[in-house]
Structures are given as C-alpha cells and as structure tokens.
Amino acid sequence: MTAERLVVIGGDAAGMSAASQARRLKGPDELEIVAFERGHFTSYSACGIPYWVGGEVGERDDLIARSPEEHRARDIDLRMRTEVVEIDAEGRRVRARDVDSGAESWTSYDKLVIATGARPVRPELPGIDAAGVHGVQTLDDGQALLDTLHAARGTRAVVVGAGYIGVEMAEALVHRGYEVTVVHRGAEPMSTLDADMGRLVREAMTGMGIRMVAGAEVTKILTGDDGRVRAVATQDDEFPADVVVLGIGVTPETSLARAAGLPLGAYGGLLTDLSMRVRGPVAGGVIWAGGDCVEVLDLVSRRERHIALGTHANKHGQIIGSNVGGGYGTFPGVVGTAVSKVCDLEIARTGLREKDARRAGLQYVTATIESTSRAGYYPGAALMTVKMLAERRTGRLLGVQIVGREGAAKRVDVAAVALTAGMTVEQMTALDLGYAPPFSPVWDPVLVAARKAVAAVRAQG
C-alpha cells in the first residue's frame, strides 16, 4: 500500500509540532511527511528573541527546541531554505522555490498543514527599508538585529510601537546600553490594556529612563549619506536613531491561503473548525492550519480573533498532528491571556478590555484595586494594580488586567481559569488559593479585586 503524503508549510511551532505528532502516530510506511521552511531554523522560541537580543539568553541555539537534523532523524523530510510560493488546492499540490538557487518544483499532497505564522507590520513609509531598520518575528530577524547592534557606532534606538513586541524590545535595547525612545500612536502604551492600566506602564517606563512619545504617527525614516537610518520623523518632530525596531504588531501571513481561495476572517487569519481543519469546499477536507496564521474563538466574547502566541501554536500543532495521524483532538478556543515585562515591571491581561466588552454588546462594571505581592510586613512586598471587569447583573467575570512588580503577572492565571470555567466574581471570592506571607497577603490581590467587583455588581442592581 502506498503511503499517504502530508505536506507541512512552515517549520516552527505549529508546523513541526503537527509533523512530529503525526509521526508518533504513523510510521513512514503509512505516512510520508514533507515539510518546507524558508528560513535557517526550526522549532524555536520566537517569544525568547527579545531576551536573546537583550543578552539575558546567552546563545541563539538556546532558543531552538529541535534542529532540522533532529526532525530528519524522525523520518520527516524537512527542506530548509525552501519557500512555498503557491498552493493548488484543486490539484492538491504546492509549488516550492529554493531560496538560494531559485529552482522551483511541485510536490503533491494527500493532506496539507498551513503553518505560515505571522509577519511584522511594516508600514509603507519612505526609508522603511533602510539599513538599521528591523522587524523582529523570526530567529533570522533577531540575528539580523544583533548584527546591526554589534556594528552600530551610536547608542540611540527608536522603537516604533508600544505593544508587547515594542515594550519587550525597548527593554532589550536598554540592557544593551542604548538610549531608547518609544514612539507610538496611542494615548498610552500597551493597547492590549485599558488606557488607565496603560498609563501605569508609561509611568514605569519613563521612570526607567525610556522616553515615551505618545500620539505620534511616524511619517518617514530619515537616512544618512551612507543609506543607514539616522532618525525617525513624525509630523511634529525628529528622533535621532542609530537603530530602529518596528514593534507595531503582526498580521497573519496568509497570502498563500488568500491566493488559493481559502476562507479568511476579519483579521486576515485562516478560519478553521474545532479540529483545526480549514473550512469551506476549496480546502476539500484535507487542509489544516494552525499557529499565528489562524483566527480562533474567543470564549468570552464568542467572536473570532487573532492572537499570535507560541502557546496556542504548539497546541494547534498537537491537535492537527493527532487528527492527521488518525487520532482525535479539538481546540475549543482562548480567553486571551498574555503576560510580558519591561525591566522589572510585569504586565498581564486575560479576557476582555472595556472596548472589547462594548463591541460584544455586553454591559459591565469595573473594579480596580492596589495590593501587594506578599504580606505587607514581609520583606520584598511589591505593589500591584489589578483591574477586573464583570458583566452587569450576572456578575460573570469578563476580564482582568494586572500591572506590578515581581509576583504580579502570573496571578493572571487564576483569572484565566475562572474565565474558562465561566465563573462569576462572587464565585471567585471563595477560591481556595495558596497563602503564606512570602507569597501573598491573606487576601490575594485577585480575590480583593473580585470582592470589589461583587460590590459593584450589587450596586448596579
């Protein structure tokens, strides 16, 4: 019997997790696996790139979970530096190009996995492609940025954008000894938070010596006679720069899928069912997709959204690999949990922001409290601010945001579990959380916020 062929586009978290899981379930005599990766690396932690750039992670290879050679040793035909440039869904084949030689060839498939990830938002501005301007999404991108930092003569850096990537890269550049300016369009950094919580992030970053420029639209990148970046220009000002990092965010890399006629959502991500199989007749029931190129169900708002996180990508890959390999798995959705830090400031959120709740047609109350990471009398107790959203009348938890120092961010996991379980804030107040003075006050900050949210719900009748 001829083995089926699985083709995987993309050699990072979702793609190679899918390939590896499928191989565990079926041997090469039953399933041939061919994977294409256009870069130099596979199965690496993109989330770790800022910490490698900043010097907290010593070596690039520390971020690599499994090398191409290790994948090939598991009977996966992994073709590096090979970019898929076309999907022929009707003919069930893909056209791939060798990045170095330009040679092209077609490969047929019985089953296809699209794991093309996301690409950094790169606005079409004069000078955007100048030497010294970097987006940071892949390990190749990180290496290119480090090469620039090692070669740069100056110590002035401008980060464009103040989302997760922007604040993490600001920290990395501070660790490298750079004078950092963050230029962003919003009134406050971290648009994934409500503005009142974003203000806390701005104040903390300013206190670290990072220059924060809000409400500023970048109009061009200015270059010197050598063609290298020398400044970032807005409508009202110029900010000198020896290096520029784009931290504007990412968008799903679905150009192949779009050209093939596969269904995309409002955010440009591929739409799948619970098994991660791509929807619609064009996919023919044999195409799966996962990772940063897909949209997923938000369990709180019940709407599709795009969230680019390695945690989801690895889960998607496991589920796809199980289904392709003859097993079974589903991905029910997310609640939107994310954590980050800039220097010693920890930032966390899960669930809905206020504008998300309004967009979903939900009426809500909010509660914001200040507490400490440990008992107030215990050495090292650090302040944190917790904001909680609850649905009006029902008291259903809708979202939590936390900004603070050591011990703040991971407290959001309690809220993530409560959101997934559909708990009310009143139910949360009875949670049996761990307590000892080195770890928490008697009332954990999340529970203090829940108590205040209960009072707000009751006040609204």
Side-chain angles (χ1 to χ4, degrees):
M1 183 180 71
T2 304
E4 284 190 315
R5 177 181 289 160
L6 168 66
V7 167
V8 177
I9 307 174
D12 197 12
M16 297 318 295
S17 290
S20 298
Q21 178 65 7
R23 174 56 74 228
R24 292 186 190 100
L25 297 176
K26 284 190 174 181
D29 55 331
E30 296 180 278
L31 183 68
E32 177 188 1
I33 303 176
V34 180
F36 296 98
E37 168 54 44
R38 65 185 177 186
H40 293 89
F41 309 98
T42 59
S43 300
Y44 57 87
S45 171
C47 300
I49 292 173
Y51 310 109
W52 166 45
V53 171
E56 292 168 294
V57 175
E59 300 294 334
R60 179 188 65 201
D61 288 356
D62 292 340
L63 301 180
I64 299 173
R66 190 167 291 173
S67 68
E69 293 73 22
E70 289 174 305
H71 284 299
R72 291 175 185 136
R74 291 167 171 80
D75 292 307
I76 296 172
D77 181 3
L78 176 56
R79 304 177 188 180
M80 301 298 294
R81 302 288 291 158
T82 308
E83 180 178 13
V84 173
V85 294
E86 183 182 351
I87 298 171
D88 175 8
E90 183 177 352
R92 296 193 179 182
R93 59 180 186 160
V94 300
R95 180 164 59 93
R97 177 185 301 141
D98 185 289
V99 173
D100 299 315
S101 71
E104 294 187 354
S105 62
W106 287 95
T107 301
S108 62
Y109 65 81
D110 297 292
K111 298 174 180 178
L112 176 67
V113 174
I114 301 174
T116 44
R119 63 179 183 276
V121 174
R122 198 176 186 94
E124 294 183 5
L125 297 174
I128 195 70
D129 294 322
V133 180
H134 295 268
V136 183
Q137 178 67 13
T138 67
L139 217 53
D140 290 286
D141 295 335
Q143 185 63 64
L145 174 58
L146 270 177
D147 292 344
T148 292
L149 296 178
H150 291 150
R153 299 186 184 92
T155 58
R156 299 168 301 180
V158 173
V159 177
V160 182
Y164 288 108
I165 297 172
V167 300
E168 289 173 355
M169 292 312 303
E171 175 188 15
L173 292 163
V174 166
H175 285 319
R176 287 283 175 183
Y178 277 73
E179 299 173 11
V180 179
T181 299
V182 177
V183 181
H184 61 101
R185 293 187 299 180
E188 302 291 355
M190 297 296 293
S191 62
T192 51
L193 305 176
D194 289 324
D196 53 343
M197 299 296 281
R199 174 180 56 80
L200 302 178
V201 177
R202 170 177 55 82
E203 291 172 350
M205 292 180 71
T206 300
M208 297 168 191
I210 298 171
R211 183 181 182 185
M212 303 295 292
V213 182
E217 185 83 36
V218 174
T219 57
K220 65 176 69 173
I221 306 295
L222 304 176
T223 57
D225 294 337
D226 58 358
R228 296 191 60 82
V229 61
R230 66 172 179 84
V232 171
T234 66
Q235 191 169 10
D236 302 316
D237 210 343
E238 291 182 10
F239 304 96
D242 303 300
V243 63
V244 173
V245 176
L246 303 177
I248 307 171
V250 298
T251 187
E253 178 51 89
T254 50
S255 53
L256 282 175
R258 185 184 299 276
L262 299 175
L264 305 180
Y267 298 92
L270 275 157
L271 297 177
T272 70
D273 61 18
L274 292 177
S275 72
M276 306 306 298
R277 194 190 310 257
V278 175
R279 302 176 196 170
V282 175
V286 297
I287 301 179
W288 285 259
D292 295 353
C293 66
V294 305
E295 295 182 17
V296 294
L297 179 65
D298 185 308
L299 296 174
V300 185
S301 69
R302 307 307 299 178
R303 296 184 174 193
E304 304 286 343
R305 63 185 298 189
H306 177 247
I307 301 179
L309 282 176
T311 50
H312 302 156
N314 279 284
K315 292 172 187 173
H316 295 169
Q318 288 287 313
I319 290 161
I320 292 168
S322 293
N323 291 323
V324 167
Y328 177 69
T330 61
F331 186 79
V334 302
V335 294
T337 308
V339 296
S340 185
K341 77 179 189 74
V342 53
C343 297
D344 67 339
L345 185 74
E346 300 184 2
I347 307 160
R349 58 77 49 91
T350 189
L352 307 183
R353 299 164 295 178
E354 290 194 48
K355 65 180 179 182
D356 299 324
R358 290 193 295 269
R359 190 180 298 126
L362 294 168
Q363 294 187 12
Y364 61 90
V365 299
T366 67
T368 302
I369 64 99
E370 287 189 354
S371 185
T372 55
S373 57
R374 303 171 179 175
Y377 56 80
Y378 194 89
L383 287 175
M384 74 176 71
T385 302
V386 181
K387 180 176 181 177
M388 188 169 288
L389 274 69
E391 187 175 15
R392 185 179 176 183
R393 298 183 66 182
T394 70
R396 177 171 67 105
L397 179 66
L398 296 180
V400 172
Q401 299 163 41
I402 305 175
V403 176
R405 258 64 186 189
E406 182 183 1
K410 287 296 284 180
R411 277 183 159 85
V412 81
D413 289 342
V414 173
V417 172
L419 281 168
T420 304
M423 295 179 69
T424 67
V425 288
E426 186 161 12
Q427 288 172 327
M428 288 182 67
T429 63
L431 288 174
D432 184 12
L433 304 185
Y435 161 70
F439 304 107
S440 171
V442 172
W443 280 90
D444 187 90
V446 172
L447 299 189
V448 175
R451 291 177 68 184
K452 190 171 181 179
V454 170
V457 170
R458 289 174 178 169
Q460 291 290 327

